[in-house]
Amino acid sequence: MKIETKKAKFRQPLYLESGRLLEPWEIIYETYGELNEKKDNVILITHALSGSHHAAGKYSEADKKAGWWDDLIGDGKGIDTKKFFVISTNVIGSCFGSTSPLHPIQLGSSKRYGLKFPVITIKDMVKAQKILLDSLGITHLRAIIGGSMGGMQALRFAVEYPKFADDIIPMATTYQTRPAVIAVNKIMKDAILADPEFKNGEYDPIEIKRKGLRGLEIARMIGFLGYLSPATFDKKFGRDYLKTDGMFELFGRFQVESYLEYNGANFPKWFDPLSYIYILKAISLFDISRGYANLAEALNQIEDRLHLISFSGDTLFYPEEMRKIKEEMDKLNKFCNYFEIDSNYGHDSFLVEVHKFEDIIRDILKE
Amino acid sequence: MKIETKKAKFRQPLYLESGRLLEPWEIIYETYGELNEKKDNVILITHALSGSHHAAGKYSEADKKAGWWDDLIGDGKGIDTKKFFVISTNVIGSCFGSTSPLHPIQLGSSKRYGLKFPVITIKDMVKAQKILLDSLGITHLRAIIGGSMGGMQALRFAVEYPKFADDIIPMATTYQTRPAVIAVNKIMKDAILADPEFKNGEYDPIEIKRKGLRGLEIARMIGFLGYLSPATFDKKFGRDYLKTDGMFELFGRFQVESYLEYNGANFPKWFDPLSYIYILKAISLFDISRGYANLAEALNQIEDRLHLISFSGDTLFYPEEMRKIKEEMDKLNKFCNYFEIDSNYGHDSFLVEVHKFEDIIRDILKE
C-alpha cells in the first residue's frame, strides 16, 4: 500500500462559522492507494477527537504502531486500498500539522494563537476538507467514513455538500451532542485550565511533551470513562489489585487505576492541551440542525446514501441517537440504512472491533 | 419532631480492617423522635459519600435546607418519627464531626493526621456505629436504611452483625464496587491531589472553605456525571446556552456547564478534600465478600430480612448488581425482597425521588 503524507497551504482565508477567519491556513493529510484516472475512486476518512491524518499503515518497519484504523484500511481490507484512493486529513484545530492554536497568530509572527485561536466547528473542519478536495481536482467522493467526531464530520459533509459523495458511513456518533457529553467535555477542559503549568495556553509545547501536564492527563482519564463501557471495565480489569501495592494503603492501586495512569501519563507526549480544548468545544457545539429550522430540514439536504453504524454498548453516543436519524430519514423518504453492532465494548468499538463491521463497509463499497 | 445532635467519645481504640487503629476516636450523630422504654423502636440511617449525620429536619427556622433525607424521615413520613427513634451517624473519616483526617494525629497534638490518617473501610464505619449503639444500650435495631455508600453500610452491618436488626434496606448500591466506579473515584482523587493548593493535605481548612479548591471542584463535577443519568441531563438542561455567553466564544457555556460550575464551586465550602479522598477509597475497596470465601458465604451470614431497592436509570450502581444479590439470597433460601423503581433520574433517585419508594419503606416498617 502506497502511503503519502502531504501538507496543503492556502492563502485565501478560511471563513469560519463563528464569523472569524483563518488566513493563511494549512491542512495536513495522508493518502493510501492510487487515484485512478477518472478520479472517482476516492474515499474520505474523518477522525475522532484524538485521531490524526495517520489512519493506516506504518511509515517504516521500525514503527511500533500503525495508523489508528489500520485494521480497516489497506490492501484487501474493508476499505481496500487496491481499489480505492483513501484521503485522511487532520482536522483544523488539531495538533498534528493542520492549522491549530500552536500556529503563529500572524504569518511570520513568533507569537502563537494560544487561547486567541478562533472556535472551530465540525462545519469548519468539513469546509476545510472540501477546499482541499477542490484543490486536488476531486469533484466527487465514493464515500465518507468516520467514527465519533469523524461521524459528525461525515454527517455534516452530507448535509452541506449534497451529492458530493455516493455513500456516507457515520459510526458511533450522534446528530447533536447531548448535555451529558457536553458535561464530560466541560470537565476535561476545566481540568486542563486548572493546571498552573498550562499557563493559560502560554506553555512551552516541547516542555509539556517532556514533563507532561497533569491537567491533560486527568482530562484523558476522564475521557476513558466514556470510551469503555462498564462491562468492558469488568472484563478488562475486574477488581484486581496491583501486587506491589498494599490493599489498605491510601495510594494502593487497582489494575484499572494503573491502566488509567499509564494512558493518562502518555497522552501529553502525543497530544496538545490547547488542541484538546478546541476540539472538545467543536464536539460540544455539534448539532446537525444548526443553520436549519430543525433536524428534518437539515437531514432533508442529504442526497447521498446514508449508512449508520451504532454499537449497542456505546455509553457516549447511544444507539438511540443514531436510530433517531434513521427515523427522521425514513419520514423524509431518504435512503438510510441502520446497523446496530452487538457489542459490550463501548464507544471505542469503532476503533477496536473492526472485524464486527468490516464486511458491512466492504458490502456498501461494492455496490 | 425532636432533633438532637450529640458526639460520643471513645478512649478504647477502634481497630480497623487495615490493622491500624484510631485512639481516641469520636463519632457525631443525630437522633429524631423518642426512644421507647423497651428500646426496640430504633432505626439506623446510613449516609452516602457527601452525606452527614444531619439526615432530617432543620436546626432552626432560619435554615435554608433541611437534612438530606428530610422527605423520608419525620412525623408521619415513610420513616415515621412519631413511632421510631432514628439514629443517623456521620461516618468515621467524614468531615462533619466524626474522627477524620482533620483530627489531631495524637491527643493534644496540634498536628493533624492529613494523609497519615489510616484507610477506612465500610466495615470500619459499621464497626464504629455498632460500638456507638452498644454504648447507648441499644441491643437491637428495627431497621437499617441507606442509599449508595449508605446501602453498602446497611449490607455490611447485616453481614457482620447477624440478627442485630429486623430489616435491612440498602438502596442504589452494590455488593462490590465495579472497576468503572473505581475509575471514577481514582480520577476524582487525582484531581484533588493535582491541585497545588491541596498542599499534599497540609492545607488550611478555613482558607479552603473561603477560597475554594479547584481540584475538589473538578472532583465534584466528575461525580455529577454518575449521579444523574444522560436522560436527566437531557430533561434538566437540553442544549440551552447561557444568554450572556456567545455561542462561538471558547468559554461560552451551555446551561449544563453553568450548573456544574455552580455545584462545583460550592462544594469546598461544605466538604473537605481529605475526607473526600478517604471516603472514595472506602467505596472503591468495598466488596461484601472480603473476609469470606465468596459472595454466597458472605451473604449467608445474613439473618435479617433484606429488602433491596434499585433504580432502573442508575448508571453508577446498576440494578443488575442488586439483582445479583437477590439471586444469591434466593439460592441460599434467605429472605430477600427486590424492588426496582422505574426512574430515568439516575443514581440520585434515592435522594430526590423519595415519593417513588416511601410507601415501600413504610410497608416494610409496618410488618
Side-chain angles (χ1 to χ4, degrees):
Chain A
M1 179 182 71
K2 184 176 160 194
I3 305 184
E4 288 191 305
T5 313
K6 290 181 182 169
K7 192 176 265 189
K9 298 185 183 202
F10 298 92
R11 294 250 161 215
Q12 292 292 88
L14 179 67
Y15 293 99
L16 304 171
E17 203 179 349
S18 64
R20 294 180 62 186
L21 52 82
L22 292 175
E23 184 188 19
W25 61 282
E26 52 194 33
I27 188 164
I28 191 162
Y29 65 102
E30 213 157 274
T31 65
Y32 315 102
E34 308 255 13
L35 184 62
N36 66 11
E37 255 182 60
K38 285 165 123 181
K39 293 189 174 182
D40 67 356
N41 69 333
V42 186
I43 291 176
L44 178 67
I45 296 298
T46 48
H47 70 71
L49 170 54
S50 60
S52 73
H53 52 288
H54 185 40
K58 290 183 177 183
Y59 297 129
S60 79
E61 291 287 318
D63 275 14
K64 275 188 199 158
K65 274 191 171 182
W68 55 270
W69 235 357
D70 191 66
D71 287 342
L72 186 63
I73 303 166
D75 290 355
K77 296 183 184 175
I79 300 173
D80 189 351
T81 44
K82 282 190 177 165
K83 288 164 66 177
F84 297 109
F85 180 64
V86 178
I87 301 183
S88 169
T89 78
N90 183 222
V91 299
I92 295 291
S94 178
C95 51
F96 295 102
S98 295
T99 296
S100 85
L102 291 182
H103 274 59
I105 194 160
Q106 276 185 305
L107 195 60
S109 170
S110 66
K111 195 171 154 48
R112 297 196 185 89
Y113 276 108
L115 289 172
K116 294 203 171 69
F117 195 68
V119 161
I120 300 290
T121 66
I122 303 294
K123 198 169 170 177
D124 298 329
M125 295 174 183
V126 162
K127 192 180 203 176
Q129 287 155 353
K130 176 67 165 54
I131 292 170
L132 170 68
L133 293 170
D134 290 347
S135 78
L136 299 174
I138 292 163
T139 56
H140 192 79
L141 292 170
R142 180 66 195 83
I144 307 173
I145 310 173
S148 197
M149 187 182 80
M152 295 176 179
Q153 293 165 65
L155 267 180
R156 180 55 84 190
F157 209 115
V159 168
E160 301 304 322
Y161 308 104
K163 295 188 186 175
F164 196 82
D166 296 328
D167 293 290
I168 305 289
I169 314 179
M171 305 172 56
T173 192
T174 188
Y175 59 97
Q176 61 171 208
T177 302
R178 290 169 79 178
V181 175
I182 295 172
V184 179
N185 292 350
K186 185 258 187 321
I187 301 168
M188 291 198 279
K189 179 197 73 187
D190 279 13
I192 295 169
L193 291 171
D195 191 327
E197 295 303 315
F198 178 69
K199 295 177 184 165
N200 234 1
E202 307 287 315
Y203 55 86
D204 175 352
I206 295 161
E207 196 181 284
I208 295 273
K209 269 197 201 327
R210 192 168 47 82
K211 286 174 52 183
L213 185 73
R214 201 68 191 121
L216 182 59
E217 294 170 25
I218 289 169
R220 178 65 168 172
M221 293 194 287
I222 294 171
F224 270 93
L225 300 176
Y227 304 153
L228 309 181
S229 71
T232 304
F233 274 104
D234 288 344
K235 218 161 101 180
K236 220 173 155 90
F237 311 107
R239 284 181 49 88
D240 293 347
Y241 214 80
L242 288 197
K243 289 196 177 63
T244 49
D245 292 9
M247 172 72 80
F248 299 110
E249 281 168 26
L250 183 59
F251 298 122
R253 286 161 302 168
F254 288 89
Q255 288 286 0
V256 62
E257 297 181 89
S258 164
Y259 172 86
L260 288 172
E261 273 173 18
Y262 176 82
N263 281 285
N266 270 324
F267 196 53
K269 292 179 191 160
W270 61 273
F271 208 90
D272 174 70
L274 274 166
S275 275
Y276 204 70
I277 290 175
Y278 275 88
I279 298 180
L280 290 175
K281 184 73 182 180
I283 295 173
S284 289
L285 283 176
F286 179 68
D287 179 357
I288 198 75
S289 316
R290 193 169 56 247
Y292 302 91
N294 50 42
L295 179 58
E297 195 191 286
L299 296 178
N300 203 27
Q301 309 305 309
I302 300 177
E303 300 291 342
D304 317 336
R305 292 184 298 255
L306 187 60
H307 313 267
L308 306 165
I309 303 180
S310 76
F311 299 88
S312 61
D314 190 339
T315 51
L316 197 64
F317 300 118
Y318 287 82
E320 66 198 63
E321 301 173 45
M322 296 188 80
R323 275 200 296 268
K324 167 95 172 160
I325 302 174
K326 165 70 174 158
E327 282 163 26
E328 292 288 328
M329 290 291 280
D330 285 352
K331 278 190 217 159
L332 294 164
N333 281 313
K334 297 266 180 186
F335 185 104
C336 185
N337 280 323
Y338 173 79
F339 305 92
E340 190 167 318
I341 308 294
D342 188 33
S343 164
N344 262 329
Y345 199 90
H347 181 66
D348 268 2
S349 293
F350 82 95
L351 290 171
V352 298
E353 297 192 305
V354 167
H355 61 281
K356 289 194 173 175
F357 57 82
E358 186 178 12
D359 284 342
I360 294 175
I361 290 179
R362 196 191 308 269
D363 286 349
I364 294 167
L365 297 178
K366 247 182 217 163
E367 282 160 28
Chain B
M1 179 182 72
K2 183 176 160 194
I3 306 184
E4 287 190 305
T5 313
K6 290 182 181 167
K7 191 175 266 188
K9 299 185 181 198
F10 298 92
R11 294 252 160 212
Q12 292 293 87
L14 179 66
Y15 293 98
L16 304 171
E17 203 179 349
S18 64
R20 292 180 63 187
L21 52 82
L22 291 175
E23 183 188 19
W25 62 282
E26 52 194 33
I27 187 164
I28 193 165
Y29 65 102
E30 213 156 274
T31 65
Y32 316 101
E34 307 254 14
L35 184 62
N36 65 11
E37 254 181 62
K38 283 165 122 181
K39 294 189 174 183
D40 67 356
N41 68 333
V42 186
I43 291 176
L44 178 68
I45 297 298
T46 48
H47 70 72
L49 169 54
S50 60
S52 73
H53 53 290
H54 186 37
K58 291 182 175 182
Y59 297 129
S60 78
E61 291 287 318
D63 275 15
K64 276 188 199 157
K65 275 191 170 180
W68 55 271
W69 235 356
D70 190 65
D71 288 344
L72 186 63
I73 304 166
D75 290 354
K77 295 181 184 173
I79 300 174
D80 190 350
T81 43
K82 281 188 177 168
K83 288 165 65 178
F84 297 109
F85 180 64
V86 178
I87 300 182
S88 169
T89 78
N90 183 221
V91 300
I92 295 291
S94 178
C95 51
F96 295 104
S98 296
T99 295
S100 83
L102 292 183
H103 274 58
I105 195 160
Q106 276 186 304
L107 195 60
S109 170
S110 65
K111 194 169 157 48
R112 296 195 185 88
Y113 277 107
L115 289 172
K116 296 205 170 69
F117 195 69
V119 160
I120 300 291
T121 66
I122 304 292
K123 197 169 171 178
D124 298 329
M125 294 175 186
V126 161
K127 191 180 205 176
Q129 287 156 354
K130 176 67 164 53
I131 292 171
L132 170 68
L133 293 170
D134 289 347
S135 77
L136 298 174
I138 293 163
T139 56
H140 193 78
L141 291 170
R142 181 66 194 81
I144 306 172
I145 310 173
S148 196
M149 186 182 82
M152 294 173 178
Q153 292 165 64
L155 268 179
R156 181 55 83 190
F157 210 115
V159 168
E160 301 304 321
Y161 308 104
K163 295 190 186 174
F164 196 82
D166 296 327
D167 293 289
I168 306 288
I169 314 179
M171 304 171 57
T173 192
T174 187
Y175 59 97
Q176 62 171 204
T177 301
R178 290 168 79 178
V181 175
I182 295 172
V184 178
N185 292 350
K186 186 258 187 319
I187 301 168
M188 292 199 278
K189 179 198 73 188
D190 279 12
I192 295 170
L193 291 171
D195 191 327
E197 295 303 315
F198 178 69
K199 295 175 182 164
N200 234 359
E202 306 286 315
Y203 56 86
D204 175 352
I206 295 161
E207 196 182 285
I208 295 273
K209 269 198 202 325
R210 192 168 47 80
K211 287 174 53 185
L213 186 73
R214 200 69 191 119
L216 182 58
E217 295 171 25
I218 289 167
R220 177 65 168 174
M221 293 193 287
I222 294 170
F224 270 93
L225 300 176
Y227 303 154
L228 309 181
S229 70
T232 304
F233 273 104
D234 288 345
K235 219 162 100 179
K236 220 173 155 92
F237 309 108
R239 286 182 46 90
D240 293 348
Y241 214 80
L242 287 199
K243 288 194 179 64
T244 48
D245 291 10
M247 172 72 80
F248 298 110
E249 283 168 23
L250 183 60
F251 297 122
R253 286 162 301 169
F254 288 89
Q255 287 286 359
V256 63
E257 298 182 269
S258 164
Y259 171 86
L260 289 172
E261 275 174 17
Y262 176 82
N263 280 286
N266 269 326
F267 196 54
K269 292 178 192 162
W270 61 272
F271 208 91
D272 174 71
L274 274 166
S275 275
Y276 204 70
I277 289 174
Y278 275 87
I279 299 180
L280 290 175
K281 184 72 181 179
I283 295 173
S284 290
L285 283 176
F286 179 68
D287 179 355
I288 199 74
S289 317
R290 194 169 56 248
Y292 302 91
N294 51 40
L295 179 58
E297 194 191 287
L299 296 178
N300 203 26
Q301 309 305 309
I302 299 178
E303 301 291 341
D304 318 335
R305 292 183 297 255
L306 187 59
H307 313 268
L308 306 165
I309 303 180
S310 75
F311 299 88
S312 60
D314 191 338
T315 51
L316 197 64
F317 301 118
Y318 287 81
E320 68 199 60
E321 300 173 47
M322 295 187 80
R323 274 201 297 268
K324 167 95 171 157
I325 302 174
K326 165 70 175 158
E327 282 162 24
E328 293 287 329
M329 290 291 280
D330 285 353
K331 276 190 220 160
L332 294 163
N333 281 314
K334 297 267 181 185
F335 185 104
C336 185
N337 280 323
Y338 173 78
F339 305 92
E340 191 167 318
I341 308 293
D342 187 33
S343 164
N344 261 329
Y345 199 90
H347 181 65
D348 267 2
S349 293
F350 82 95
L351 290 171
V352 298
E353 297 192 306
V354 167
H355 61 281
K356 288 193 174 173
F357 58 80
E358 185 179 11
D359 284 344
I360 294 175
I361 290 181
R362 196 191 307 269
D363 286 350
I364 294 168
L365 297 178
K366 246 182 218 162
E367 282 159 27

